[in-house]
Amino acid sequence: MAETGKGVTAGKLAINVQKRLSRAQEKVLQKLGKADETRDAAFEEMVAKFNKQTAEGSKLQKDLKAYVLAVKAMHDASRRLQDCLADMYEPEWFGKEEVNALAEDTDTLWLDYQQSITEKCLTCMDTYMIKFPDIKARIAKRDRKMVDFDSARHHFSSLQKGKKKDEAKIAKAEEELGRAQKIFEELNVELQDELPVLWDSRVGVYVNTFQSLAGHQEKFHGEMSKLSQNLTDIMTKLEEQRQIKKEGTAAAQTGEGAKSDEANHSDSACSAPKSAVTNGSGSDLPPGFLYKVKATHDYAATDGDELELKIGDVVLVVAFDNPDEQDDGWLLGFKEIHWMQKKDISAKGVFPENFTQKV
């Protein structure tokens, strides 16, 4: 059995070698003009378009892969930058938790963008390009079978024109010609059907790829713009916090006011002792005035008796009518600007003490 297997392999090898020699001989004769060559101008145009389409698709696929890698590199760089900011951001600075949340949101946004363009754009191009190698191989096979057909055709013709006609050889040559023609025409017809369809499909692939890419880019940059604006707002408020602390330190150094008796206000100056309550006889101060504070954070009122604050608002703190009504950590007062303009006793409200600093 082993020898038979070897014989079959050797026989196939001999046949393949003979085919290659016959093809090489046929091509030489065709180049020398001693044998006519089957030509199909329409098919050659299809092949030229296929080659152009292959080159364009391969370049787009390569550039998309490079774009995805660049996005990944930008994602890594952004993550390192956000981690650096989060690590050096001190706990007492304004917006520490918000900065940490922004770092996580930014990382997630980059990751989603990278995955989206990979799945929707690059994978689409990979699926489109996967069919090209097979068609290219079939075109090459079709060209070989065309040479075989020409060779069989010329061999049959030479036997028919010979002086001594051998009917057996002519019959065999005719049979080989028919087989070669059938194989060639089957491949030729298949490719003539497929190549125009493949050529027309490129427009749809390009449209889907770039529409998808543009859509993901628009979404990514829109969300990233919001995160960037949030970071800008946090940095602005951090600078305002620094300026307020700087002003408080300067006031303490010039000796304006008494030193605060509260630990979290130890670096501020007090314009009047906390226990000093005015009788309201002065036209510029409300009844029960104690001291002034400045808002260091925004505070949104959640009840009708609360005072809404914006960073930088100056509040005139007054004593509670009933001390038992005062909750720990809360103060009662008027916004200075409202009091100066309207002198409205009903405009007072409570607010959290730790959102302010004495001035």
Side-chain angles (χ1 to χ4, degrees), residues 52-339:
K52 180 177 183 290
Q53 188 176 3
T54 302
E56 291 175 348
S58 298
K59 186 178 185 305
L60 178 55
Q61 183 184 37
K62 179 181 177 182
D63 289 343
L64 273 175
K65 288 180 179 179
Y67 181 81
V68 171
L69 289 175
V71 169
K72 184 179 184 302
M74 280 295 296
H75 177 198
D76 293 339
S78 174
R79 182 192 294 119
R80 290 193 296 270
L81 190 60
Q82 293 291 337
D83 288 346
C84 178
L85 176 62
D87 290 342
M88 69 183 187
Y89 211 89
E90 297 182 8
E92 67 272 14
W93 289 359
F94 176 84
K96 171 63 175 174
E97 294 182 0
E98 288 83 349
V99 167
N100 292 339
L102 272 175
E104 294 180 5
D105 292 344
T106 301
D107 184 67
T108 300
L109 185 59
W110 273 108
L111 184 61
D112 289 346
Y113 180 51
Q114 181 184 338
Q115 290 177 342
S116 296
I117 60 176
T118 299
E119 293 173 1
K120 303 299 182 181
C121 301
L122 185 56
T123 302
C124 177
M125 277 304 301
D126 290 341
T127 302
Y128 168 67
M129 291 302 298
I130 200 171
K131 64 188 76 171
F132 282 76
D134 174 67
I135 295 178
K136 183 178 180 180
R138 287 162 60 201
I139 290 174
K141 183 178 180 180
R142 180 258 184 198
D143 291 343
R144 294 194 299 272
K145 296 305 179 182
M146 184 177 67
V147 175
D148 292 344
F149 168 61
D150 285 343
S151 178
R153 182 165 54 83
H154 295 148
H155 178 59
F156 176 69
S157 178
S158 64
L159 289 177
Q160 282 188 320
K161 294 178 181 178
K163 293 181 180 180
K164 295 181 179 181
K165 294 186 178 181
D166 187 330
E167 296 300 331
K169 287 184 178 180
I170 292 174
K172 184 179 179 180
E174 186 176 10
E175 182 182 348
E176 291 178 352
L177 173 60
R179 185 165 53 251
Q181 183 177 5
K182 180 182 178 182
I183 294 173
F184 166 69
E185 288 181 349
E186 285 178 352
L187 280 170
N188 194 52
V189 169
E190 288 178 1
L191 290 170
Q192 284 180 340
D193 291 339
E194 291 180 33
L195 288 176
V197 175
L198 181 64
W199 173 254
D200 291 339
S201 71
R202 75 196 192 286
V203 177
V205 171
Y206 298 161
V207 168
N208 291 337
T209 298
F210 282 97
Q211 275 187 342
S212 179
L213 180 61
H216 290 301
Q217 284 178 333
E218 182 180 10
K219 180 181 177 181
F220 169 77
H221 291 300
E223 295 297 326
M224 185 61 72
S225 177
K226 295 177 183 177
L227 293 179
S228 298
Q229 184 59 53
N230 291 342
L231 181 59
T232 299
D233 293 342
I234 292 173
M235 294 297 104
T236 300
K237 291 180 180 179
L238 176 61
E239 173 61 18
E240 291 175 353
Q241 183 188 53
R242 186 185 72 86
Q243 290 293 342
I244 291 172
K245 287 183 177 181
K246 184 178 179 181
E247 293 171 3
T249 302
Q253 290 175 348
T254 57
E256 293 179 4
K259 185 176 180 181
S260 172
D261 60 343
E262 295 181 21
N264 62 339
H265 292 152
S266 61
D267 60 345
S268 322
C270 180
S271 60
K274 185 174 182 180
S275 59
V277 179
T278 68
N279 59 10
S281 59
S283 60
D284 292 335
L285 296 174
F289 171 76
L290 297 174
Y291 51 87
K292 293 182 182 181
V293 295
K294 180 181 286 188
T296 57
H297 302 281
D298 291 345
Y299 177 71
T302 59
D303 205 346
D305 65 342
E306 293 181 0
L307 199 64
E308 186 161 321
L309 301 178
K310 295 294 184 181
I311 291 178
D313 285 348
V314 176
V315 182
L316 305 176
V317 180
V318 298
F320 280 80
D321 296 335
N322 183 357
D324 293 335
E325 294 179 355
Q326 181 174 6
D327 295 326
D328 291 340
W330 288 79
L331 299 175
L332 178 68
F334 302 82
K335 286 187 180 180
E336 184 180 47
I337 187 170
H338 291 168
W339 174 255

